[in-house]
Amino acid sequence: MTDANGGVRTPLFDLHTELGGRMVNFGGHALPMRYGDGTVAEHRATRTMAGLFDVSHMGIVELRPAAGDDVPDVAAWLERRVPGAITSLASGRMRYTQFTTAAGGVLDDLIVSCHADCLRIVVNAVRTDADLSMLREANGGSDDGRVRIEVRTDLALIALQGPAAVDVLDRWAPAAADLAFMSTSTLPIDGVECEVSRCGYTGEDGFEVAIPASEATHIARLLLGSDEVSPAGLGARDTLRLEAGLPLVGHELTEATTPAEAGLGWSIPKRRRAEASFPGAEIITAQLRDGPPRQRVGIAAAGRRPIRDGAALSTSDGTSVGMVTSGGFGPTVEAPIAMAYVAAEHSADGTELFAQGRKGPEPCRVAPLPFAEHRYWRPS
């Protein structure tokens, strides 16, 4: 079912409209951009307490063993398509990686989680169909070849993010508090079996919860019943991830950018660099070894006017050195901030540049990422 804007409705659509969500078409899905109090209020609520986001537009795909195989065989199959280390992923753990092109570009970024009977991958909404086509082609052109590919359209996905998230979830699923960052477990929430993962896209501690679609509204209402939790929309999700310095597909991550340029070398361990058995390995490993020609950096404006996506960056003499990929106002840092790709020789923190704005060049400088400190929880 679609809404008036043509977007596919998630299982939480009716709840969003009941709560006053301003619905938009995002990646082909009807999702709230914001609620009554607005993006800044939702952003600050997430940084100080907890925000609840509908992320059911993300693609959830399970890769299962074919007859006679087991999960390690599936891991080896997937590892040939990503630069991350998948075969060493333990059950109950998660890993961030990318689908790359033969030229070293990024098709999509994804989270892989290991379960007793499958690998689950969560991919970006705008890339789901293309990712599935790529996986099916590698699987002999079908969903049932070297591995079994299952798209979990029966699930909803919500994200509970912020410093109060763990206390809220503890009331319904106490075992969630013991999960470390990038860990996952099947836990009951008010009698509903859910997959609870300690991860998220805000830079805050928090959880993503996969729920049977028929129970999504019930679980969301349950969590929103806590005084600490506010509904939050796409606007706050974007300002939070920008402050956290997290790249976004279609902005910082494209087929024209490599993981090395994007500052994602940490996601490609030594073994995978040595094996070089993934698409674009020669180019990516060379850049990781020798340094990429350009780098993803933070940009801080000198004034109060936001620097927008697509703004050209130049030196004081007008030499073009890069372009802004995401920009806006950071409610936590209370200043205009942006991310950009800048030629390596101009990427040092503090480098003074100019961003082309509507009224001409605006002074700015290269700033360290993230703008807001990450607060992921790891056991001491």
Side-chain angles (χ1 to χ4, degrees), residues 42-100:
E42 294 164 20
H43 177 112
R44 289 175 174 159
T46 303
R47 286 275 188 251
T48 58
M49 298 296 283
L52 187 70
F53 301 81
D54 181 5
V55 289
S56 300
H57 60 298
M58 305 292 283
I60 303 175
V61 181
E62 290 179 352
L63 305 176
R64 298 181 177 277
D69 287 340
D70 53 23
V71 173
D73 296 302
V74 176
W77 182 87
L78 180 60
E79 193 175 74
R80 291 193 291 274
R81 286 147 188 90
V82 298
I86 309 302
T87 58
S88 59
L89 188 58
S91 183
R93 294 290 295 166
M94 311 168 72
R95 192 148 289 161
Y96 171 83
T97 190
Q98 309 86 36
F99 288 132
T100 50

Side-chain angles (χ1 to χ4, degrees), residues 83-360:
I86 309 302
T87 58
S88 59
L89 188 58
S91 183
R93 294 290 295 166
M94 311 168 72
R95 192 148 289 161
Y96 171 83
T97 190
Q98 309 86 36
F99 288 132
T100 50
T101 71
V106 178
L107 291 167
D108 198 3
D109 62 345
L110 61 149
I111 297 287
V112 184
S113 57
C114 184
H115 304 262
D117 58 350
C118 71
L119 293 182
R120 176 178 287 180
I121 64 174
V122 178
V123 299
N124 286 284
V126 295
R127 288 292 310 175
T128 299
D129 290 344
D131 291 348
L132 282 169
S133 294
M134 180 267 294
L135 290 170
R136 286 165 178 154
E137 182 179 356
N139 200 38
S142 75
D143 287 341
D144 195 8
R146 184 68 180 82
V147 301
R148 290 169 47 214
I149 301 172
E150 182 179 356
V151 184
R152 296 300 305 271
T153 56
D154 59 319
L155 297 177
L157 190 63
I158 60 174
L160 181 67
Q161 300 283 293
V166 64
D167 291 333
V168 171
L169 201 53
D170 180 70
R171 296 165 196 161
W172 304 100
D178 296 326
L179 289 174
F181 179 58
M182 296 299 280
S183 294
T184 186
S185 182
T186 302
L187 301 174
I189 300 178
D190 201 34
V192 179
E193 188 174 275
C194 301
E195 187 67 28
V196 179
S197 304
R198 201 160 196 168
C199 63
Y201 195 51
T202 62
E204 294 291 333
D205 183 23
F207 303 86
E208 291 188 352
V209 185
I211 312 162
S214 60
E215 299 287 350
T217 298
H218 167 62
I219 298 301
R221 287 189 189 279
L222 197 73
L223 298 174
L224 286 168
S226 299
D227 292 339
E228 303 97 323
V229 183
S230 301
L234 293 167
R237 189 168 182 258
D238 194 53
T239 55
L240 288 159
R241 73 94 191 171
L242 178 57
E243 285 187 342
L246 301 175
L248 177 64
V249 163
H251 290 248
E252 289 72 42
L253 301 178
T254 71
E255 292 186 44
T257 58
T258 70
E261 291 174 323
L264 301 178
W266 58 267
S267 69
I268 309 175
K270 183 178 179 180
R271 172 176 69 84
R272 298 297 290 137
R273 300 183 192 198
E275 292 169 345
S277 58
F278 53 89
E282 183 177 354
I283 294 170
I284 294 168
T285 55
Q287 289 187 355
L288 290 171
R289 181 186 64 244
D290 303 328
R294 58 180 187 154
Q295 294 183 338
R296 179 171 64 94
V297 299
I299 297 290
R304 301 295 291 177
R305 189 176 289 117
I307 302 172
R308 298 302 182 186
D309 303 11
L313 293 170
S314 62
T315 59
S316 58
D317 64 2
T319 302
S320 177
V321 297
M323 187 183 74
V324 171
T325 50
S326 294
F329 187 82
T332 303
V333 298
E334 297 185 334
I337 54 174
M339 283 190 285
Y341 279 98
V342 171
E345 61 269 27
H346 298 280
S347 63
D349 290 347
T351 299
E352 294 184 356
L353 298 173
F354 291 85
Q356 187 61 44
R358 295 173 183 172
K359 297 185 178 181

Side-chain angles (χ1 to χ4, degrees), residues 10-29:
T10 75
L12 294 173
F13 178 86
D14 289 341
L15 180 59
H16 295 317
T17 57
E18 176 188 321
L19 295 173
R22 179 191 173 192
M23 307 303 290
V24 297
N25 186 328
F26 179 79
H29 290 75

